[in-house]
């Protein structure tokens, strides 16, 4: 029986959703944070999309958002020239880190003690969260606004992507540039996969995979449309991508074959990420919504409950289950 992909739609934002991130798996499940131009980042239960809370305090569009591994802290980057650190349990603002221009990206170290930021002033900054009054370490080198910055190699190195059409690898201790990748067009997204040290990059219609330590190219896949974001499944069997044609594409990582494509959003897809258990992927769009998509369509998981017909052909709905999406 053919199963139809039925995404869960997460409403609440009033402007385009431009970034999202999952936490690691905690004793309470895993969590999802979204950044939106409405200036109100939201926290949700990762497997269901259920709203938990909204972080209130920014006075401009929020361009970047992240959670630490155990989902106790959140960080956001905004157009009000600040990055903020939040208590992700209480929702309280912990720190406001003033910048000189729009902040686009934030990233915690694995121990959550340091925060990396980047933005339109072309500088990378490293804040010691245990001593927030201290001046941050600054790394210069990019010649245009920084879009994304990430820790890699057990926080010994930093990866940054900017509008200067480069991705740069930096050494944390020396603060020096190790290697630069140059592209013909601006890089639209960057994902770092710790297991296997893989860097996933999108630019134009291309989805490229690099070794994150050496920046050697592994493979490139061409998509049917301009791609804004891509994410590799934790087991590296396949990857998903979304972009300007409103669709989500799923590709086989080994063969590069397009496996599926789904249309659900009513605007370009700005960001897509797999959940830490690989059971679903989340997408954020110009249409102001997040959608959760099943990796294995028809599997009972989260709010998805697969309902199969009995031998008489009638669909039997399980009793005692509410708010389930039927896979038919």
């Amino acid at each position: 029986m053919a199963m139809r992909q039925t995404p869960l739609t997460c409403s609440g934002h009033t402007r385009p959703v431009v970034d999202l991130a999952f936490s690691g798996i905690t004793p309470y499940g895993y969590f999802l944070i979204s950044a939106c131009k409405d200036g109100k980042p939201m926290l949700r239960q990762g497997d269901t999309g259920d709203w938990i809370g909204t972080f209130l305090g920014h006075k401009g569009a929020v361009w970047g958002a992240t959670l630490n591994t155990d989902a106790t802290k959140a960080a956001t980057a905004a157009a009000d020239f600040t990055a903020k650190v939040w208590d992700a349990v209480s929702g309280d603002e912990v720190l406001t880190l003033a910048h000189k221009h729009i902040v686009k990206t934030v990233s915690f170290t694995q121990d959550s003690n340091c925060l990396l930021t980047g933005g339109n002033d072309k500088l990378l900054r490293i804040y010691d969260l245990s001593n927030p009054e201290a001046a941050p370490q600054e790394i210069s080198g990019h010649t245009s606004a920084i879009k994304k910055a990430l820790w890699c190699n057990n926080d010994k190195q930093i990866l940054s992507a900017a509008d200067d059409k480069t991705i740069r690898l930096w050494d944390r201790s020396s603060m020096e540039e190790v290697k630069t990748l140059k592209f013909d067009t601006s890089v639209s997204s960057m994902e770092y996969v710790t297991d296997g040290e893989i860097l996933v990059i999108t630019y134009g219609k291309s989805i490229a995979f690099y070794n994150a330590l050496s920046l050697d190219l592994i493979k490139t896949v061409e998509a049917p449309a301009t791609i804004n974001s891509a994410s590799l499944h934790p087991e590296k069997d396949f990857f998903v991508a979304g972009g300007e044609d409103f669709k989500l594409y799923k590709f086989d990582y080994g063969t590069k074959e397009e496996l599926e494509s789904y249309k659900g959003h009513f605007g370009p897809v700005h960001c897509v990420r797999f959940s830490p258990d690989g059971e679903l992927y989340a997408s954020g769009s110009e249409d102001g919504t997040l959608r959760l998509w099943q990796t294995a369509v028809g599997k009972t998981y989260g709010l998805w409950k697969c309902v199969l017909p009995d031998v008489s052909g009638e669909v039997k709905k399980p009793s005692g289950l509410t708010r389930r999406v039927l896979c038919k």
Side-chain angles (χ1 to χ4, degrees):
M1 183 180 69
M3 294 290 182
R4 180 168 57 89
Q5 175 76 266
T6 308
L8 302 176
T9 302
C10 306
S11 302
H13 284 300
T14 58
R15 296 286 310 281
V17 178
V18 291
D19 192 27
L20 56 85
F22 284 101
S23 72
I25 299 172
T26 78
Y28 307 100
Y30 60 87
F31 300 88
L32 172 64
I33 191 171
S34 53
C36 180
K37 289 185 181 179
D38 63 10
K40 298 175 181 178
M42 291 185 179
L43 183 70
R44 299 176 188 272
Q45 192 72 37
D47 60 340
T48 63
D50 288 341
W51 176 83
I52 295 172
T54 302
F55 299 100
L56 298 175
H58 278 297
K59 295 178 173 63
V62 176
W63 287 101
T66 191
L67 293 165
N68 66 346
T69 303
D70 63 6
T72 56
K73 290 180 181 179
T76 49
D80 60 7
F81 292 20
T82 71
K84 290 181 185 287
V85 179
W86 312 80
D87 183 318
V89 180
S90 67
D92 294 335
E93 183 181 315
V94 177
L95 283 174
T96 294
L97 304 169
H99 289 63
K100 296 174 183 176
H101 212 309
I102 293 168
V103 190
K104 287 287 185 73
T105 179
V106 280
S107 179
F108 286 110
T109 47
Q110 293 176 30
D111 61 11
S112 307
N113 289 337
C114 292
L115 186 73
L116 172 67
T117 70
N120 285 17
D121 65 1
K122 312 170 193 172
L123 293 174
L124 293 166
R125 290 182 173 85
I126 302 170
Y127 290 88
D128 181 350
L129 299 182
S130 64
N131 186 17
E133 300 302 318
Q137 293 178 292
E138 294 184 353
I139 302 175
S140 61
H142 280 294
T143 58
S144 293
I146 296 168
K147 282 185 173 180
K148 193 77 173 177
L150 302 166
W151 296 100
C152 68
N153 191 14
N154 293 315
D155 300 335
K156 296 173 188 171
Q157 293 179 310
I158 293 166
L159 286 160
S160 58
D163 284 334
D164 58 14
K165 302 178 184 176
T166 69
I167 285 179
R168 304 185 191 218
L169 179 66
W170 310 84
D171 182 79
R172 180 184 182 178
S173 58
S174 69
M175 315 282 277
E176 295 293 325
E177 188 177 311
V178 178
K179 191 170 181 179
T180 300
L181 292 176
K182 295 181 180 179
F183 299 88
D184 293 331
T185 186
S186 186
V187 172
S188 50
S189 75
M190 182 171 67
E191 178 189 55
Y192 169 62
V193 181
T194 308
D195 182 19
E197 299 287 351
I198 297 173
L199 183 63
V200 186
I201 298 167
T202 61
Y203 57 96
K205 294 183 178 181
S206 301
I207 306 150
F209 300 86
Y210 285 82
N211 179 294
L213 302 182
S214 65
L215 292 191
D216 291 333
L217 179 65
I218 299 170
K219 67 180 72 177
T220 304
V221 180
E222 295 299 314
T226 299
I227 296 298
N228 294 326
S229 183
S231 184
L232 180 62
H233 189 269
E235 294 179 5
K236 305 175 191 63
D237 295 329
F238 33 76
F239 62 94
V240 291
E244 292 298 308
D245 64 352
F246 307 3
K247 287 185 178 181
L248 273 297
Y249 292 91
K250 184 177 174 183
F251 294 86
D252 185 292
Y253 180 65
T255 66
K256 306 198 282 192
E257 176 189 1
E258 181 187 322
L259 301 175
E260 301 160 343
S261 66
Y262 301 111
K263 193 170 181 180
H265 284 291
F266 297 97
V269 177
H270 292 308
C271 44
V272 59
R273 285 292 179 268
F274 270 108
S275 61
D277 64 0
E279 292 287 349
L280 61 83
Y281 48 99
S283 57
S285 168
E286 183 76 16
D287 66 15
T289 68
L290 289 96
R291 290 174 196 256
L292 305 183
W293 309 78
Q294 275 191 292
T295 301
V297 178
K299 186 175 181 179
T300 296
Y301 180 82
L303 295 183
W304 288 283
K305 183 68 180 179
C306 188
V307 180
L308 299 174
D310 66 8
V311 290
S312 67
E314 295 180 356
V315 173
K316 287 188 175 181
K317 184 177 179 180
S319 61
L321 294 175
T322 59
R323 298 189 65 234
R324 298 289 181 178
V325 176
L326 304 186
C327 306
K328 296 181 180 177

